[in-house]
Amino acid sequence: MGVTCVAQVPVAEGKSVQQTVELLTRKLELLGAEKQGTFCVDCETYHTAASTIGSQGQTGKLMYVMHNSEYPLSCFALFENGPCLIADANFDILMVKLKGFFQNAKANKIESRGTRYQYCDFLVKVGTVTMGPSARGISVEVEYGPCVIANDCWNLLMEFMQSFMGSHAPGVPSVFGTKHDSVYGPADTMVQYMELFNKIRKQQQVPVAGIR
Amino acid sequence: MEPETFLDHEMVFLLKGQQASPFVLRARRSMDKGGMPWHLRYLGQPEIGDKNRHALVRNCVDIATSDNLTDFLVEMGFRMDHEFVAKGHVFRKGIMKIMVYKIFRILMPGNTESIEPLSLSYLVELNVVAPAGQDVVSDDMRNFAEQLKPLVHLEKIDPKRLM
Amino acid sequence: MAGAPAVRISIESACEKQVQEVGLDGSETYLQPLSMSQNLARLAQRIDFSQGSGSEEDEPGSAGRAWAEPGEAEDEEGLVKFQPSLWPWDSVRNNLRSALTEMCVLYDVLSIVKDKKFMTLDPVMQDPIPPKQNPQFLQLISKKKSLAGAAQILLKGAERLSKSVAENQENKRQRDFNSELLRLRQHWKLRKVGDKILGDLSYRSAGSLFLHHGTFEVIKNTDIDLDKKIPEDYCPLDVQIPSDLEGSAYIKVSIQKQAPDIGDLGTVNLFKRPMPKSKPGSPHWQTKLETAQNVLLCKEIFAQLSREAVQIKSQIPHIVVKNQIISQPFPGLQLSISLCHSSNDKKSQKAASEKQNPEDHLYVLEHNLHQLIRECHKQTLSSTVMPHPASAPFGHKRMRLAGPQAFDKNDISSLQSNEGLLEKIIKQAKHIFLRRRTARTIDSLASRIEDPQIQAHWSNINDVYESSVKVLITSQGYEQICKSIQLQLNIGVEQIRVVHRDGRVITLSHQEQELQDFLLSQMSQHQVHAVQQLAKVMGWHVLSFSNHVGLGPVESIGNASAITVASPNGDYAISVRNGPESGSKVMVQFPRSQCKDLPKGDVLQDNKWNHLRGPFKEVQWNKMEGRNFVYKMELLMAALTPC
């Protein structure tokens, strides 16, 4: 796992999500990247049930359970600003058992699907973010394989992203700030995705359909 | 060949809801072997129709997790009910796992160095994880338990009686 | 008698008390002696006051007068009548006195008889004794009887002794068997079933999953005659191995050129390898069991290989015939793995006489096969299978880490290495073959071409799938100057990767010709590089240099290289063109003033133009002195450099 940056690319003026994605992928192919299959990152939201809120005396927390096709045998569970647990695939079954305590906000399920491109040491994933049937945005994930210390290769990543994303290249992700010199891990990537999904969810301000 | 020994630290977490019975999750880690993932286990209620079976059957979900499991469970709302250290040997016969271990009480919460044994005797546990519906397994377990007869009497336990 | 001296007699009273009773523990209870008053009472009781003293007369009279003492007066009698034992010693004295009287009488009689004057002793006539029996006969009988008695005792003793000796012998034999059995137990697993002792020589306890029982039976060797001398190699224990594990076996792995016809396949090549000599001191059952175990292992290896050969799909299918597996690692090449099992019976002895080429057999691969199957065994037994923590489900340790540590697809696929035994051994065979052929190519080139020289330094530490060799192309005598061609060859399974000193990486296929062509082209380049280095040393200036010239005839292998160098004062120039096929061509450029047959023209008026270099002349290189190209070049340069 190398250092990864997840960013959102705004939809180009007058174009649809699909067309913007195509623009990006064509730029990548011109650069010389080769297509290497597809990827999918999805996120489900769980809400602490009302029954438990009362007894605990605190506001309900949102728990996100995410999967990444890059790590097919793992399941990521995280709280916003909280710990991120990496477990194996049986965690989903456990969430089914915890139905009474944590309820799945099914309408909040969000995912990003797209193609993977390999360009020497860089792995680029351009995906369409969809919530339900509608496409809401575009996510771009760039991974620089050889490096594991976030702050060491940020400049290189940014330069690379500028080469095909142009002015839409993002700033330093927030997770990098807390990392300092510790090793970057898959959990940090999932945190970035979670933040991206939350941002996209808030953008169009679609009301979260019934928690119950 | 030496039998495999183990030293585990188990913590039992409860989530109290409006229902009468709290949700129980068991988090167990290996203290002697480094680099092994934590083991999170959920055990359901004993199945109905259990009377004819020779062994206790419960629904079970086993999850291997990363090391920040306890923090995560606390964040989810679980609270630790009790913890203990188990030390002993583990054996295997096909899919049957036999554990012979002593339970140690932890004197200071959080400190696994200061432990004292709960009793001088060992606990022998025979368990099998099998796909749902395979009841034949309990017969094999009983046959195996018969072979241990004069040394150990393995019996089906009723968790309700212990609660 | 009156003259006889008085005899002094000493008397002692026993003074013993009467025993009343003897207790159970032996202690005696004594009657208490009577006290004075009690004594008096007793005596008083005796006196019959009703009778007078007259009755007392009869008593002494009725008592025998046999011991009437001659010296005693009658008044003594009377005294006795009236005084019933005044003192306790009275009777004693009387008895003694009568005894003395008797003795005196006897003495007197004997002395008179001795004299024979007044008295003689006459024997009484007895019946004549019966005619004297033969004393010898009696003696014989008595001797016989006594001897018989003695003999009986001796025989009994001897019988006991012989019985004990026989028992000892039996014990010894029994003990020998037991001690041998103990030794056997130290090496092999034994168990008792009924009254038979069975053992296990399979690898099941070491992790093998092969379905062969592998049980042998331990028999007591009782057909030994105790009377005869026990032979040297006698062993009280014998083992009986299963019939299909008899004899010895090994796996023969060989690489050959492809057999022209398929009809040759399936011939069981029973190359009887001599039985490995048993270690001195190890009993014969140990070698027997070890050989049987080896046969079992070879069978397992072959079974696994044939199973994989049939199941795994490869581009060129593997052929499995009887005891041979044939596959094709490279085109034109054939790898055959066969199980050679020779039993000890006479039939196979004849077949073994056919000549086999032992050099064909790749011992390394056979050893590797054994190692690989043992690795497979260890996999099933490895403790990474046991879960830690203990409550976790069974499964490989790395698989359980895959979830929490977020393994990606590469990591997961490396977890599940599904390369079987056959694939591994074919890869190893390919590598061995490629390595051998590379070595042969380099060696043949080295022996064929003397200038430049090619040196190969093989690395000592290799992998089963990779070896490396460093190839240097040098000129003899100029190794320090001309060392620009250094190649590192990494020989893999199917390809050879060449890393050049200047950083280029070239991948060659397994074709022999490619490597040879490449080396030849490098050798030709080396000559030109050598000239460049030589020029530096000699002070000549390099005017032009090209590794791949586009002029002149096209080479079939690689490209020609060329260099032009000028002398220090600029008068002369040497131009060299060297190609792998066309060889070297050396031309020298002379100054115009030295050329006689130059056309004179009107354009060049000044004399100074005559100092420029003019036409080229070819050097007859083969007539040049010098043992190699660089030496010749040095001589040429030296000749063209005026002092």
Side-chain angles (χ1 to χ4, degrees):
Chain A
M1 167 95 262
V3 178
T4 311
C5 172
V6 179
Q8 182 187 10
V9 172
V11 182
E13 286 294 320
K15 293 217 162 75
S16 71
V17 170
Q18 189 75 347
Q19 287 167 332
T20 322
V21 167
E22 266 185 42
L23 271 173
L24 275 169
T25 53
R26 207 173 310 140
K27 270 199 202 150
L28 276 169
E29 278 164 14
L30 277 173
L31 257 181
E34 53 176 69
K35 202 162 159 178
Q36 266 191 7
T38 59
F39 83 100
C40 170
V41 176
D42 65 71
C43 173
E44 291 171 356
T45 317
Y46 286 85
H47 206 278
T48 38
S51 48
T52 21
I53 295 173
S55 61
Q56 281 181 4
Q58 18 169 277
T59 49
K61 278 188 269 199
L62 281 173
M63 184 168 86
Y64 301 97
V65 176
M66 306 175 72
H67 303 88
N68 190 339
S69 62
E70 194 71 18
Y71 317 109
L73 295 177
S74 310
C75 187
F76 301 85
L78 36 103
F79 284 95
E80 207 156 356
N81 303 324
C84 172
L85 184 78
I86 312 176
D88 61 17
N90 282 344
F91 194 79
D92 296 323
I93 305 172
L94 183 68
M95 290 318 290
V96 172
K97 299 276 182 206
L98 277 169
K99 254 198 317 240
F101 302 87
F102 288 90
Q103 281 163 339
N104 189 355
K106 289 199 179 63
N108 272 8
K109 178 158 176 182
I110 194 167
E111 67 176 21
S112 170
R113 270 183 199 275
T115 40
R116 275 174 92 223
Y117 287 92
Q118 176 91 34
Y119 181 55
C120 293
D121 291 327
F122 289 95
L123 187 64
V124 183
K125 296 185 199 154
V126 180
T128 317
V129 179
T130 54
M131 192 155 141
S134 56
R136 297 292 193 84
I138 302 166
S139 78
V140 172
E141 179 194 326
V142 180
E143 178 187 338
Y144 180 60
C147 183
V148 289
I149 310 292
N151 293 318
D152 283 349
C153 65
W154 169 246
N155 291 325
L156 180 64
L157 266 176
M158 195 166 66
E159 210 174 302
F160 178 69
M161 286 195 287
Q162 275 171 354
S163 69
F164 70 96
M165 277 164 47
S167 52
H168 302 302
V172 183
S174 50
V175 283
F176 285 22
T178 51
K179 288 305 275 192
H180 301 292
D181 277 334
S182 53
V183 173
Y184 188 89
D188 303 312
T189 311
M190 301 319 279
V191 168
Q192 290 187 56
Y193 265 108
M194 175 198 73
E195 285 170 359
L196 178 87
F197 290 154
N198 282 344
K199 203 164 70 166
I200 289 179
R201 220 180 278 130
K202 285 197 196 103
Q203 258 173 9
Q204 300 217 338
Q205 281 159 3
V206 176
V208 174
I211 300 169
R212 310 230 173 244
Chain B
M1 253 177 38
E2 282 287 317
E4 188 90 0
T5 56
F6 70 91
L7 179 65
D8 291 342
H9 173 209
E10 179 160 331
M11 293 179 266
V12 181
F13 286 84
L14 296 179
L15 181 61
K16 290 194 174 64
Q18 270 185 357
Q19 292 98 329
S21 55
F23 195 85
V24 179
L25 274 183
R26 297 171 172 273
R28 193 155 168 154
R29 70 176 174 115
S30 174
M31 277 165 63
D32 57 346
K33 283 261 180 350
M36 300 304 290
W38 283 62
H39 177 231
L40 183 65
R41 182 171 246 188
Y42 161 72
L43 286 171
Q45 296 299 318
E47 284 190 3
I48 318 162
D50 222 16
K51 289 195 182 61
N52 297 331
R53 268 187 237 117
H54 307 291
L56 177 68
V57 180
R58 286 180 287 187
N59 210 350
C60 160
V61 182
D62 287 310
I63 305 148
T65 67
S66 55
D67 294 343
N68 53 353
L69 180 62
T70 35
D71 297 332
F72 192 80
L73 285 172
V74 166
E75 193 79 18
M76 271 172 88
F78 283 83
R79 292 289 170 262
M80 186 173 91
D81 183 52
H82 62 274
E83 58 178 351
F84 61 90
V85 168
K87 178 174 161 149
H89 302 270
V90 58
F91 302 88
R92 174 183 184 169
K93 185 171 159 71
I95 53 166
M96 287 197 284
K97 192 196 298 181
I98 302 101
M99 299 196 280
V100 179
Y101 57 99
K102 251 197 205 161
I103 301 182
F104 290 79
R105 195 211 321 260
I106 295 177
L107 300 167
M108 277 193 294
N111 184 3
T112 50
E113 298 302 318
S114 63
I115 51 177
E116 67 165 20
L118 210 54
S119 90
L120 287 174
S121 46
Y122 279 83
L123 179 68
V124 181
E125 182 185 326
L126 166 65
N127 65 30
V128 174
V129 176
Q134 271 189 16
D135 285 349
V136 189
V137 176
S138 65
D139 289 331
D140 295 330
M141 287 173 80
R142 201 213 19 190
N143 292 337
F144 184 78
E146 292 284 318
Q147 292 184 17
L148 288 175
K149 256 306 154 84
L151 296 170
V152 174
H153 287 272
L154 285 168
E155 285 163 358
K156 182 169 142 180
I157 54 162
D158 189 4
K160 286 201 198 64
R161 278 178 38 209
L162 299 170
M163 287 302 196
Chain C
M1 262 326 301
V7 181
R8 292 184 75 84
I9 295 174
S10 48
I11 292 179
E12 189 183 296
S13 164
C15 274
E16 274 184 20
K17 303 182 188 143
Q18 262 198 324
V19 176
Q20 183 183 10
E21 67 171 300
V22 179
L24 286 166
D25 56 353
S27 63
E28 297 162 347
T29 332
Y30 299 112
L31 268 180
Q32 289 301 322
L34 296 170
S35 65
M36 292 288 280
S37 54
Q38 280 176 339
N39 212 5
L40 187 63
R42 187 174 65 98
L43 287 173
Q45 272 180 348
R46 271 203 191 163
I47 299 171
D48 194 0
F49 289 104
S50 60
Q51 288 198 351
S53 50
S55 63
E56 309 260 11
E57 274 180 42
D58 295 340
E59 279 184 40
S62 55
R65 296 190 67 88
W67 22 285
E69 290 171 316
E72 286 292 317
E74 277 197 15
D75 52 333
E76 186 95 2
E77 275 182 287
L79 226 86
V80 172
K81 259 200 273 190
F82 287 110
Q83 291 164 349
S85 35
L86 273 171
W87 54 334
W89 298 109
D90 199 36
S91 58
V92 176
R93 190 197 60 178
N94 289 341
N95 285 339
L96 279 172
R97 222 189 240 160
S98 51
L100 179 64
T101 315
E102 294 287 319
M103 287 303 291
C104 291
V105 167
L106 185 62
Y107 177 73
D108 288 338
V109 166
L110 283 175
S111 51
I112 290 168
V113 158
K114 204 170 94 177
D115 236 354
K116 286 189 187 156
K117 266 200 248 180
F118 307 106
M119 253 188 191
T120 50
L121 284 173
D122 215 6
V124 176
M125 279 304 283
Q126 286 189 341
D127 291 292
I129 47 179
K132 230 199 258 190
Q133 300 240 340
N134 211 355
Q136 272 98 1
F137 186 63
L138 256 176
Q139 277 179 17
L140 186 67
I141 292 181
S142 64
K143 273 206 181 105
K144 209 171 155 189
K145 251 181 139 175
S146 49
L147 277 174
Q152 197 72 7
I153 295 170
L154 283 172
L155 271 175
K156 246 203 267 185
E159 200 188 294
R160 235 186 265 158
L161 271 178
S162 71
K163 232 200 294 184
S164 79
V165 161
E167 254 179 44
N168 249 9
Q169 282 259 359
E170 184 62 39
N171 271 357
K172 227 169 77 158
R173 202 155 30 108
Q174 186 70 18
R175 249 187 287 128
D176 267 349
F177 175 75
N178 283 339
S179 61
E180 277 298 304
L181 193 64
L182 192 69
R183 279 173 75 188
L184 186 64
R185 271 197 87 176
Q186 284 172 348
H187 296 276
W188 302 89
K189 269 180 23 170
L190 299 174
R191 64 181 196 274
K192 203 165 163 73
V193 172
D195 58 348
K196 287 200 283 193
I197 303 174
L198 297 176
D200 181 22
L201 52 75
S202 74
Y203 276 88
R204 244 197 308 264
S205 56
S208 161
L209 297 168
F210 194 51
L211 296 169
H212 192 287
H213 57 93
T215 44
F216 63 92
E217 197 182 328
V218 179
I219 319 167
K220 194 162 169 175
N221 202 354
T222 48
D223 58 347
I224 183 79
D225 205 350
L226 278 172
D227 290 340
K228 301 205 191 97
K229 185 177 179 303
I230 299 170
E232 272 300 312
D233 56 351
Y234 164 68
C235 196
L237 199 132
D238 203 9
V239 289
Q240 192 175 44
I241 50 179
S243 56
D244 55 346
L245 299 179
E246 276 173 19
S248 68
Y250 71 104
I251 305 257
K252 181 171 178 219
V253 184
S254 64
I255 298 179
Q256 304 132 350
K257 289 249 177 329
Q258 186 139 30
D261 63 343
I262 311 253
D264 257 1
L265 300 176
T267 51
V268 174
N269 31 7
L270 291 170
F271 175 48
K272 186 168 171 67
R273 221 182 351 187
M275 281 270 273
K277 237 192 283 189
S278 57
K279 285 192 284 277
S282 73
H284 81 282
W285 41 257
Q286 180 73 2
T287 33
K288 212 167 159 190
L289 288 171
E290 277 176 2
T291 326
Q293 197 175 46
N294 187 43
V295 172
L296 185 59
L297 189 68
C298 290
K299 281 191 179 225
E300 182 177 350
I301 293 173
F302 194 77
Q304 171 106 354
L305 286 171
S306 34
R307 192 174 41 231
E308 283 173 18
V310 172
Q311 281 174 353
I312 293 173
K313 294 184 185 34
S314 69
Q315 281 181 334
I316 303 167
H318 314 287
I319 305 171
V320 181
V321 182
K322 264 212 220 179
N323 72 333
Q324 211 177 19
I325 299 172
I326 297 173
S327 74
Q328 219 178 28
F330 289 122
L333 206 68
Q334 179 178 295
L335 171 73
S336 92
I337 304 172
S338 39
L339 171 68
C340 301
H341 184 183
S342 60
S343 43
N344 286 329
D345 54 340
K346 293 195 182 68
K347 252 195 283 181
S348 60
Q349 300 266 4
K350 290 182 210 149
S353 58
E354 57 176 89
K355 222 161 35 124
Q356 290 288 337
N357 188 5
E359 285 182 15
D360 217 9
H361 175 52
L362 288 165
Y363 289 97
V364 174
L365 289 182
E366 187 195 352
H367 169 76
N368 283 357
L369 271 174
H370 280 252
Q371 268 196 335
L372 285 170
I373 201 82
R374 285 295 298 135
E375 281 291 318
C376 287
H377 290 174
K378 280 194 199 133
Q379 284 290 328
T380 57
L381 268 193
S382 74
S383 68
T384 52
V385 168
M386 277 300 201
H388 284 268
S391 56
F394 289 125
H396 201 260
K397 172 183 164 175
R398 301 265 301 160
M399 277 305 281
R400 273 189 297 117
L401 281 173
Q405 290 192 0
F407 280 10
D408 60 10
K409 292 195 195 101
N410 293 336
D411 298 335
I412 294 171
S413 59
S414 73
L415 275 185
Q416 301 156 337
S417 58
N418 35 22
E419 231 183 28
L421 203 61
L422 186 65
E423 281 180 355
K424 282 190 189 152
I425 212 72
I426 289 177
K427 272 172 77 169
Q428 288 182 17
K430 275 179 166 176
H431 173 69
I432 286 180
F433 176 74
L434 200 57
R435 191 177 65 204
R436 273 195 194 164
R437 196 155 64 172
T438 309
R440 214 173 44 221
T441 312
I442 296 173
D443 288 344
S444 71
L445 268 180
S447 58
R448 192 158 54 101
I449 301 176
E450 281 174 8
D451 173 40
Q453 289 181 325
I454 181 167
Q455 297 173 24
H457 299 290
W458 287 85
S459 146
N460 268 334
I461 302 170
N462 294 323
D463 187 50
V464 275
Y465 299 135
E466 198 170 318
S467 307
S468 77
V469 58
K470 187 146 179 160
V471 176
L472 302 165
I473 299 177
T474 54
S475 296
Q476 195 186 16
Y478 297 90
E479 287 88 357
Q480 284 304 312
I481 306 170
C482 320
K483 48 181 179 177
S484 51
I485 306 283
Q486 290 175 9
L487 307 164
Q488 172 94 13
L489 269 71
N490 283 342
I491 304 166
V493 175
E494 282 174 358
Q495 292 174 331
I496 302 171
R497 208 167 65 120
V498 184
V499 180
H500 205 283
R501 191 168 183 246
D502 56 15
R504 283 178 291 157
V505 176
I506 303 150
T507 310
L508 302 170
S509 79
H510 65 272
Q511 306 273 10
E512 192 177 357
Q513 196 62 34
E514 271 189 45
L515 180 65
Q516 195 174 26
D517 291 349
F518 178 71
L519 288 175
L520 284 171
S521 70
Q522 288 298 304
M523 282 163 144
S524 116
Q525 273 188 17
H526 163 80
Q527 305 288 50
V528 174
H529 281 248
V531 175
Q532 187 190 29
Q533 302 297 324
L534 192 62
K536 248 193 267 187
V537 169
M538 303 283 285
W540 285 54
H541 313 292
V542 176
L543 296 178
S544 79
F545 172 76
S546 168
N547 259 334
H548 310 279
V549 285
L551 309 166
V554 175
E555 307 277 335
S556 62
I557 309 167
N559 284 325
S561 6
I563 187 170
T564 308
V565 291
S567 68
N569 62 3
D571 280 345
Y572 299 92
I574 300 176
S575 183
V576 182
R577 182 187 189 274
N578 193 313
E581 214 182 352
S582 54
S584 54
K585 193 160 173 195
V586 184
M587 314 259 294
V588 177
Q589 196 179 29
F590 291 89
R592 290 173 71 88
S593 49
Q594 285 186 20
C595 290
K596 296 187 180 70
D597 49 354
L598 271 183
K600 283 214 190 315
D602 294 326
V603 183
L604 300 168
Q605 305 276 352
D606 251 336
N607 259 349
K608 65 183 178 197
W609 301 113
N610 281 334
H611 296 290
L612 289 176
R613 291 192 295 268
F616 282 87
K617 257 203 205 158
E618 191 172 341
V619 178
Q620 285 185 330
W621 201 246
N622 45 1
K623 290 211 177 123
M624 271 286 293
E625 252 185 56
R627 63 166 173 270
N628 61 16
F629 180 85
V630 188
Y631 191 42
K632 289 181 187 177
M633 188 55 66
E634 191 187 352
L635 286 177
L636 180 64
M637 283 181 176
L640 294 174
T641 315
C643 304

